Amino acid sequence: MFKSFSKTRRATLTATLGLAAALVGGSVMPTMAQDAKTVKLGFAPWSDAEFVTKLAAKLMTDKLGQKVELVQTDVAPLYQGVSRGDIDAMMMAWLPATHADYYDKVKNRVETLGTVYDGAKLGWVVPTYIPESEIASIEDLKKPDVQKKLSGTIQGIDPGAGLTRLSQQAVKDYALDDYKLQISSEAGMLTTVDRAMRGEKWFVATSWSPHWMFGKYKLRYIDDPKKSLGEAEHVDILASKDFKTENPKAAEFLSRMKVPLDDLEAAMFNAQETSYDEAVAKYIEDHPDQIKAWVGDEG
């Protein structure tokens, strides 16, 4: 039958059938609401980055009808991926110090959409059961008895992390020649911390805020008089140069997304106690006004 149709009639019938199929599948409205291109959100396996990224993905999917793909990788390839356009956006650019090396290499090939949270900081922590008279600052780690109790070890995280680079510099700045920065991963550091806390053993570990560990354990930062680990920072959302053009609604949403630090730490702890999906769902339920402001008229 199709062979006897003119090209125009065929095109008309094909379009009609396509529209009917879309209506049956209920996909017309989301297609109209969403940007055409699937958004690829990248994140490194840090608990704060994972939460805000999955929160953004959930809202973009449910409120904007936007297709989202999550890409987990390490920090260095994350920056490179955004700069090349292989990844559309990332929500974990710690600036101005922590990720300075990564950012400087790509800053002319990326665009900042906004700051997702302020007041972030890096530092070294100890359990509160260690008296401040024994360890109040990084300088105190040079005390022979303190070094012995700490086994000359500073528990670290990933080799590519900005915190690791700054911690290596701190070891030099404070002349901690007899210490070893134990490079591992966030999970490895947390395992060591958990084991030490249960036995009330002494340790010093690299850490950062926001982090759910402060909700689970009684920890305190030790002073860094030389500012080797930097000061308070902001965490920005970076996107590829073409992102705003190709995904304008998603870009506008991300530019409005700002999470208070206390809310974020509470949500991160909830994610550890339950799951990221449950914590994201609870955050959305508990913060309707905040979500409405982020989503805007599109939602």
Side-chain angles (χ1 to χ4, degrees), residues 267-280:
M268 289 161 61
F269 182 54
N270 185 28
Q272 295 302 312
E273 296 294 296
T274 57
S275 69
Y276 281 97
D277 287 345
E278 289 185 56
V280 164

Side-chain angles (χ1 to χ4, degrees), residues 117-244:
Y117 50 90
D118 291 303
K121 69 170 291 184
L122 305 178
W124 291 359
V125 298
V126 297
T128 56
Y129 53 73
I130 296 180
E132 289 195 48
S133 58
E134 294 293 322
I135 304 179
S137 81
I138 296 177
E139 292 280 10
D140 291 327
L141 301 186
K142 289 187 284 190
K143 297 176 182 176
D145 57 330
V146 168
Q147 181 189 330
K148 184 177 180 180
K149 289 182 179 180
L150 294 173
S151 300
T153 302
I154 302 159
Q155 300 297 330
I157 56 168
D158 316 68
L163 175 55
T164 299
R165 173 178 58 82
L166 294 173
S167 292
Q168 289 169 330
Q169 186 60 48
V171 169
K172 295 178 182 177
D173 291 346
Y174 289 93
L176 300 176
D177 303 327
D178 296 323
Y179 276 85
K180 177 184 178 182
L181 177 62
Q182 186 66 51
I183 296 175
S184 175
S185 64
E186 180 186 4
M189 178 271 289
L190 290 168
T191 297
T192 300
V193 167
D194 185 71
R195 187 181 302 118
M197 292 293 296
R198 285 188 277 115
E200 289 203 1
K201 295 180 179 179
W202 283 36
F203 69 86
V204 59
T206 63
S207 187
W208 62 95
S209 296
H211 199 292
W212 59 264
M213 66 192 297
F214 293 98
K216 183 172 183 179
Y217 308 114
K218 293 183 178 180
L219 304 167
R220 59 179 174 85
Y221 284 103
I222 57 177
D223 291 339
D224 173 20
K226 296 181 185 292
K227 305 298 181 186
S228 300
L229 300 171
E231 300 184 74
E233 298 197 293
H234 49 89
V235 178
D236 290 350
I237 302 172
L238 300 185
S240 61
K241 282 290 188 180
D242 295 331
F243 183 65
K244 273 189 174 181

Side-chain angles (χ1 to χ4, degrees), residues 1-7 9-10:
M1 181 174 70
F2 266 78
K3 290 183 179 178
S4 64
F5 278 13
S6 67
K7 289 183 179 180
R9 292 176 70 189
R10 284 187 197 176

Side-chain angles (χ1 to χ4, degrees), residues 30-149:
T31 301
M32 292 171 65
Q34 73 183 31
D35 293 329
K37 184 184 175 186
T38 296
V39 173
K40 293 184 178 180
L41 292 180
F43 68 99
W46 291 12
S47 51
D48 56 321
E50 184 166 0
F51 179 81
V52 295
T53 304
K54 289 184 174 179
L55 174 62
K58 177 69 171 172
L59 291 170
M60 289 164 68
T61 300
D62 292 354
K63 302 294 186 181
L64 302 182
Q66 175 68 56
K67 292 181 180 178
V68 180
E69 179 183 341
L70 297 181
V71 180
Q72 181 178 319
T73 185
D74 291 329
V75 176
L78 183 61
Y79 273 85
Q80 289 301 317
V82 175
S83 71
R84 292 192 303 262
D86 299 333
I87 297 171
D88 291 305
M90 59 179 281
M91 305 179 68
M92 55 171 295
W94 282 59
L95 297 169
T98 306
H99 286 176
D101 288 352
Y102 301 118
Y103 180 71
D104 287 344
K105 293 175 183 177
V106 304
K107 63 184 179 182
N108 295 324
R109 303 196 303 276
V110 300
E111 187 170 0
T112 301
L113 296 182
T115 295
V116 68
Y117 50 90
D118 291 303
K121 69 170 291 184
L122 305 178
W124 291 359
V125 298
V126 297
T128 56
Y129 53 73
I130 296 180
E132 289 195 48
S133 58
E134 294 293 322
I135 304 179
S137 81
I138 296 177
E139 292 280 10
D140 291 327
L141 301 186
K142 289 187 284 190
K143 297 176 182 176
D145 57 330
V146 168
Q147 181 189 330
K148 184 177 180 180
K149 289 182 179 180

